[in-house]
Amino acid sequence: EQCECRFVDSERGSRHYLGYGNCTSFTAETKAREQSQLTAVTTKTTNVHGDEMTITTTSQYEQQSFNTRTDWRVRAISATNLHLRTNHIYVSSEDISETGFTYVIPKNILSKFITISDLRTQIAGYMYGVSPPDNPQVKEVRCIVLVPQVGNHQHCILPRNLPEHECLEDLEPLGWLHTQPNESPQLSPQDVLTHTKIMDDSSQTWDGEKTIVVTCSFTPGSCSLTAYKLTPQGYEWGRKNQDGGMGASGYLPTHYERVQMLLSDRFLGFFLIPDDEIWNYNFMGVKHSVGMDYGLCLGIPREFYHESHRPSHFLTFTNMDEAEHTAEAELMLTTSSLKSVNSDALAT
């Protein structure tokens, strides 16, 4: 059946005719004929339980692969290039308070901290250090303590108990630092709440004038560092809004101020890690709790996607291999049984 339509809107997904009057040739039969011409695609996959699934799809949207930001495989590959960003580390020097302390972070532990992190999930560590004898206004970070933690792109969850180790006896707490996937023009309300909670749980060992929050933002091909100190107004706001979370109201730029921070390679720092060397609990969150106890030891921290941080993935791989071996054994058993039956039939 022909119609007087002369133009076809080919850019649209649906077949819509433009031209003279109303088109009547695009009937249900035409639709059915086009549907019958679709290409069927059969895909064989394996789910998380090791079960093999065969799926046949005909429409285009069913054939598109689903990508999620929480796909750890893609992020694990991306994390292998984090060491390249350590060659381009920038320290923010805008709107810095002229009064207060100047903080110096050694490049060796900062570079390692960046290398073992993840581009999306935040990781955090406590900073401890000392002031040089000749300049009490300078604070040199000597140690970063990685405690058992879980996190997401907005905040980290750390144990309530603060680090305790003999290497920290001669050092004073200088605050904490964490990574974040995007650079922010201000200190996030969640960081203020976390800092306030740490100060309340520290039994007065954290001095609000000396402890700071350092953010390490992943900018394209580089890292940007910014140091903040809470003001008394920010501390009071954080105490009153502990249950508010990200939706807490009344947050103002006057609740924090930027402080001076420098990077140095003239002295080296060290890491304290859990005695079982496992600090990332994002892949086994059920084992992490705010009230958990942990021991510390000197060591080199493992990367975010190290095998010890995700044992369940390797158990899944093992179960898949066992399922394949079982299927092969059953197939061989069935084949041998059929052969014996056929040989018995021939003999009869």
Side-chain angles (χ1 to χ4, degrees):
E1 184 179 356
Q2 302 293 329
C3 73
E4 297 179 347
C5 295
R6 298 190 301 177
F7 305 100
V8 179
D9 186 4
S10 60
E11 294 182 357
R12 296 192 179 184
S14 60
R15 292 179 57 84
H16 174 64
Y17 288 84
L18 305 176
Y20 302 111
N22 297 323
C23 177
T24 57
S25 64
F26 191 52
T27 59
E29 295 178 0
T30 309
K31 292 182 181 179
R33 186 163 54 250
E34 288 188 354
Q35 291 289 338
S36 64
Q37 295 175 355
L38 292 176
T39 303
V41 177
T42 301
T43 307
K44 185 178 294 186
T45 59
T46 305
N47 61 11
V48 295
H49 304 293
D51 303 328
E52 192 174 274
M53 300 183 299
T54 303
I55 303 171
T56 302
T57 57
T58 55
S59 57
Q60 293 183 357
Y61 74 91
E62 290 179 313
Q63 298 170 10
Q64 294 176 353
S65 59
F66 176 71
N67 293 326
T68 172
R69 290 186 177 182
T70 58
D71 189 356
W72 66 267
R73 294 174 179 84
V74 177
R75 288 162 51 196
I77 296 174
S78 301
T80 58
N81 295 322
L82 281 172
H83 68 281
L84 300 175
R85 294 174 180 260
T86 59
N87 298 325
H88 306 281
I89 300 177
Y90 303 99
V91 180
S92 176
S93 58
E94 299 179 358
D95 302 328
I96 292 177
S97 176
E98 298 296 335
T99 61
F101 299 96
T102 299
Y103 297 83
V104 184
I105 301 180
K107 289 184 179 180
N108 71 313
I109 57 176
L110 178 61
S111 298
K112 186 63 178 178
F113 184 78
I114 294 173
T115 304
I116 64 171
S117 61
D118 179 57
L119 285 169
R120 178 168 172 79
T121 302
Q122 293 189 11
I123 71 169
Y126 293 111
M127 298 187 299
Y128 288 81
V130 294
S131 293
D134 57 343
N135 195 346
Q137 289 300 113
V138 174
K139 298 294 182 182
E140 297 179 350
V141 178
R142 298 297 179 87
C143 174
I144 293 180
V145 183
L146 283 176
V147 297
Q149 58 189 271
V150 294
N152 53 31
H153 65 285
Q154 292 182 328
H155 69 282
C156 293
I157 300 177
L158 307 176
R160 185 182 300 110
N161 298 328
L162 290 177
E164 294 182 0
H165 193 269
E166 58 182 6
C167 293
L168 303 177
E169 294 178 357
D170 297 330
L171 305 178
E172 59 180 333
L174 298 179
W176 62 293
L177 79 162
H178 71 87
T179 60
Q180 56 186 21
N182 300 304
E183 189 174 13
S184 176
Q186 65 177 6
L187 183 65
S188 68
Q190 187 63 47
D191 288 348
V192 175
L193 297 176
T194 303
H195 191 83
T196 304
K197 190 175 188 319
I198 295 173
M199 291 181 63
D200 289 341
D201 294 340
S202 63
S203 302
Q204 306 302 323
T205 58
W206 277 42
D207 188 349
E209 292 296 323
K210 297 179 181 179
T211 54
I212 61 173
V213 182
V214 178
T215 61
C216 178
S217 308
F218 291 122
T219 48
S222 60
C223 298
S224 298
L225 297 179
T226 310
Y228 302 91
K229 184 187 74 171
L230 260 63
T231 61
Q233 297 86 351
Y235 176 70
E236 290 299 325
W237 178 86
R239 292 188 63 185
K240 295 178 181 178
N241 293 274
Q242 280 297 319
D243 299 331
M246 295 296 293
S249 60
Y251 183 66
L252 300 173
T254 56
H255 291 166
Y256 64 88
E257 60 183 24
R258 298 171 184 259
V259 296
Q260 180 76 31
M261 182 177 56
L262 304 173
L263 301 181
S264 175
D265 53 6
R266 296 195 175 187
F267 66 96
L268 302 177
F270 62 93
F271 279 96
L272 286 179
I273 59 176
D275 48 13
D276 59 358
E277 299 187 2
I278 298 176
W279 59 269
N280 177 20
Y281 281 75
N282 284 281
F283 299 104
M284 42 186 176
V286 293
K287 296 183 179 181
H288 185 273
S289 66
V290 178
M292 67 184 299
D293 295 324
Y294 59 92
L296 295 174
C297 66
L298 284 169
I300 300 175
R302 295 173 175 174
E303 60 270 16
F304 189 90
Y305 291 99
H306 190 270
E307 291 86 348
S308 61
H309 291 157
R310 47 190 184 95
S312 59
H313 294 166
F314 294 90
L315 293 176
T316 303
F317 299 153
T318 303
N319 294 336
M320 290 171 57
D321 292 339
E322 291 179 354
E324 291 180 359
H325 293 325
T326 303
E328 291 177 359
E330 292 178 353
L331 180 61
M332 293 177 62
L333 181 61
T334 304
T335 305
S336 60
S337 299
L338 289 175
K339 288 182 178 179
S340 61
V341 171
N342 292 333
S343 57
D344 292 341
L346 291 174
T348 304

